[in-house]
């Protein structure tokens, strides 16, 4: 009888061990298929200088992002596909420049005083068409489970464009409450006072734990650090004591710290769940941040501007054991994520034009990034945010309709109203103060030709119709009035 029980126990134990060993771990699955999990963190309106490893002041505290920067590859000349929310996200999700999908701004395109707009701008699309194949849809073709946690801003619901799970994503471009109740679609309010960034992170962590036995793509477009500026009082007081006199700016610094803490929670979860070595982590921003007096930046302009302050963003790419840590000065753009991730996931490229380039061989140390030009197109108007700090071409608009190209160290901006150009050498003039149009006509002609060829290639809509409401005298008077004050 004792032998019988011992035999049964042995059989039960053997079956249990077989079942457990037969349940493939995420790391084993990924090693077998050569596919990484993907965590893409896109902070809203986080400025290029507004992270600890890259800041120009001593205020920001981002220890978790700083550790990620030490462990990953930092691109210090990374660009968003546009200078504000929706169009940048459209470039990222589609892999296409603006003229191909028609998302140029946050609707409408007729922003600012009509009497100061010389042209009738191109009509803006509110989101990308469901005919566009997104990154998520391409990843799903090779077995990825996909989740979006936060701001979508490209249509009514990301579950219509490749995501299995959607938490808090919709057409809505911002939250009005960082503390519950949130009054946001597609998320249930939590306990009163719950902080949105922490709640979204909770959702990510639970989803990652439940999804870890297959490759996953977690897209985490936090609503933070977009306005309204709201943070825990103790954190705000901490930054007031550090010397930030402006309450809103102290709150902004506190929101950056909130964000960093939650990035740390995600990274800790990857470690505790045994997923760190099989997960590619991308950390970036959707566009530049608002310029604030407490946080000086070497870049000109901020969110909404096509000077580098509006489009240059922090970017860290980390995959332990696969991507060698370091600092890279190569200009890249968020359109590059699409072909890169599709290749790393061993998926087929979609049947649509992709304007980004595949960086996967470079990331894995197997090749270089070929030199190429980067482009932006903004055939609409975006009114000034805070004229005295915007550093725009003029104080009435963060930008007027135009296009831009970066070619090597050179950058050319074209303004459509009067066909004006600005030419800068970013290696010698990071702040874009010295317009070299008159001093370097040869480079001007070269970049003008490249920009025109790209506009024609992409069939870019360029506004030409005059606005009958435009008052040139009033426009100049308003400009002079702001400049005097």
């Amino acid at each position: 009888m004792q032998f019988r029980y011992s035999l049964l126990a042995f059989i039960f134990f053997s079956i249990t061990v077989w079942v457990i060993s037969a349940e493939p771990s995420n790391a084993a699955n990924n090693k077998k298929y050569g596919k990484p999990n993907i965590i893409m963190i896109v902070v809203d309106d986080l400025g290029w200088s507004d992270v600890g490893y890259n800041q120009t002041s001593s205020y920001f505290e981002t220890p978790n992002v700083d550790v990620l920067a030490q462990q990953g590859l930092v691109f210090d000349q990374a660009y968003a596909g546009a200078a504000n929310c929706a169009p940048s996200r459209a470039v990222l999700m589609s892999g296409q420049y603006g003229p191909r999908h028609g998302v140029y701004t946050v609707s409408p395109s007729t922003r600012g005083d009509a009497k100061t707009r010389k042209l009738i701008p191109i009509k803006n699309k509110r989101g990308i068409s469901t005919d566009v194949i997104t990154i998520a849809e391409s990843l799903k073709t090779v077995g990825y489970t996909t989740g979006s946690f936060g701001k979508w801003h490209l249509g009514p619901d990301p579950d219509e464009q490749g995501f299995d799970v959607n938490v808090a994503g919709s057409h809505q471009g911002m939250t009005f409450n960082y503390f519950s109740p949130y009054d946001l679609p597609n998320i249930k309010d939590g306990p009163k006072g719950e902080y949105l960034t922490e709640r979204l992170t909770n959702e990510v962590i639970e989803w990652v734990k439940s999804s870890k036995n297959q490759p996953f793509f977690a897209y985490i477009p936090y609503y933070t650090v977009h306005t309204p500026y709201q943070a825990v009082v103790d954190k705000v007081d901490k930054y007031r004591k550090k010397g930030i006199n402006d309450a809103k700016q102290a709150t902004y610094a506190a929101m950056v710290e909130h964000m960093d803490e939650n990035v740390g929670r995600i990274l800790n979860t990857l470690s505790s769940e045994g997923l760190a070595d099989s997960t590619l982590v991308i950390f970036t921003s959707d566009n530049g941040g608002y310029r604030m007096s407490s946080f000086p930046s070497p870049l000109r302009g901020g969110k909404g501007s096509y000077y580098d302050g509006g489009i240059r963003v922090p970017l860290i790419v980390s995959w332990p054991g696969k991507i060698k840590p370091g600092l890279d000065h190569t200009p890249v753009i968020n359109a590059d994520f699409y072909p890169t991730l599709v290749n790393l996931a061993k998926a087929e490229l979609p049947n649509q034009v992709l304007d980004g380039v595949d960086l996967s061989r470079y990331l894995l140390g197997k090749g270089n990034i070929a030199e190429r030009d980067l482009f932006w197109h903004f055939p609409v108007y975006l009114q000034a945010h805070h004229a005295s700090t915007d550093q725009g071409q003029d104080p009435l608009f963060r930008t007027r309709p135009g296009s831009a190209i970066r070619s090597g160290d050179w950058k050319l901006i074209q303004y459509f109203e009067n066909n004006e150009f600005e030419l800068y050498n970013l290696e010698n003039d990071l702040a874009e103060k010295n317009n070299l149009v008159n001093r370097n006509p040869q480079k001007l002609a070269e970049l003008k030709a490249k920009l025109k060829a790209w506009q024609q290639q992409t069939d870019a809509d360029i506004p030409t119709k005059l606005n009958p409401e435009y008052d040139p005298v009033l426009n100049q008077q308003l400009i002079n009035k702001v400049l005097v004050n």
Side-chain angles (χ1 to χ4, degrees), residues 104 118-123 377-381 400-403 414-419 455 460-466:
Y104 294 121
K118 184 176 182 179
L119 298 173
I120 297 176
I122 301 301
K123 188 175 181 180
H377 189 60
F378 193 78
V380 298
Y381 287 88
R400 294 177 184 258
S403 286
Q414 176 186 17
Y415 295 99
F416 299 140
E417 284 189 330
N418 301 306
N419 199 32
Q455 291 167 342
D461 288 317
I462 296 177
T464 57
K465 293 182 180 179
L466 296 177

Side-chain angles (χ1 to χ4, degrees), residues 271-288:
S271 296
S272 64
E273 295 295 318
L275 300 170
D277 290 345
S278 56
T279 303
L280 172 74
V281 177
I282 297 169
F283 175 89
T284 190
S285 174
D286 65 337
N287 47 249

Side-chain angles (χ1 to χ4, degrees), residues 335-376:
D336 298 336
F337 293 148
Y338 198 132
T340 302
L341 296 181
V342 165
N343 194 28
L344 289 172
K346 302 189 182 307
E348 294 291 329
L349 290 173
N351 185 26
Q352 67 186 30
V353 174
L354 294 181
D355 291 306
V357 301
D358 177 7
L359 305 178
S360 59
R361 284 182 55 79
Y362 175 73
L363 293 176
L364 299 177
K366 299 178 180 179
N368 297 317
I369 303 175
E371 187 171 326
R372 43 74 191 255
D373 300 325
L374 304 180
F375 298 91
W376 296 267

Side-chain angles (χ1 to χ4, degrees), residues 246-474:
D246 185 280
K248 288 184 178 179
Q249 295 180 28
T251 305
Y252 176 80
M255 292 174 74
V256 171
E257 184 178 339
H258 272 301
M259 174 275 296
D260 178 79
E261 289 175 348
N262 284 280
V263 169
R265 292 177 61 209
I266 293 170
L267 299 178
N268 289 338
T269 298
L270 295 178
S271 296
S272 64
E273 295 295 318
L275 300 170
D277 290 345
S278 56
T279 303
L280 172 74
V281 177
I282 297 169
F283 175 89
T284 190
S285 174
D286 65 337
N287 47 249
Y290 287 121
R291 291 195 66 89
M292 300 182 188
S293 57
S294 297
F295 315 120
S297 170
L299 305 180
R300 179 176 177 178
K303 177 180 179 179
S305 168
Y306 282 81
Y307 297 114
D308 263 29
I311 51 178
R312 193 183 292 204
V313 292
L315 173 61
I316 306 168
V317 184
S318 175
W319 188 4
K322 296 286 187 178
I323 296 176
K324 185 178 179 180
L327 176 64
D328 191 277
H329 305 301
T330 309
V332 295
I333 194 166
N334 66 357
D336 298 336
F337 293 148
Y338 198 132
T340 302
L341 296 181
V342 165
N343 194 28
L344 289 172
K346 302 189 182 307
E348 294 291 329
L349 290 173
N351 185 26
Q352 67 186 30
V353 174
L354 294 181
D355 291 306
V357 301
D358 177 7
L359 305 178
S360 59
R361 284 182 55 79
Y362 175 73
L363 293 176
L364 299 177
K366 299 178 180 179
N368 297 317
I369 303 175
E371 187 171 326
R372 43 74 191 255
D373 300 325
L374 304 180
F375 298 91
W376 296 267
H377 189 60
F378 193 78
V380 298
Y381 287 88
L382 188 61
Q383 79 279 19
H385 171 67
H386 189 255
S388 62
T389 56
D390 283 345
Q391 298 182 336
Q393 184 200 34
D394 70 65
L396 303 185
F397 292 90
R398 276 174 276 174
T399 193
R400 294 177 184 258
S403 286
I405 175 178
R406 170 154 183 178
S407 182
D409 292 323
W410 292 89
K411 183 174 173 189
L412 181 74
I413 303 174
Q414 176 186 17
Y415 295 99
F416 299 140
E417 284 189 330
N418 301 306
N419 199 32
E420 296 174 308
F421 292 87
E422 295 178 4
L423 178 68
Y424 301 101
N425 185 302
L426 296 177
E427 182 180 23
N428 302 320
D429 182 21
L430 189 61
E432 296 171 279
K433 292 181 179 179
N434 303 309
N435 184 1
L436 302 177
V437 161
N438 296 324
R439 280 182 273 176
N440 202 325
Q442 184 175 351
K443 182 59 68 172
L444 171 64
E446 175 191 335
L447 267 59
K448 282 174 67 174
K450 285 185 173 184
L451 185 56
K452 183 176 181 179
W454 175 82
Q455 291 167 342
Q456 292 173 342
Q457 176 194 347
T458 59
D459 196 23
D461 288 317
I462 296 177
T464 57
K465 293 182 180 179
L466 296 177
N467 173 21
E469 296 182 68
Y470 176 63
D471 184 337
V473 175
L474 176 63

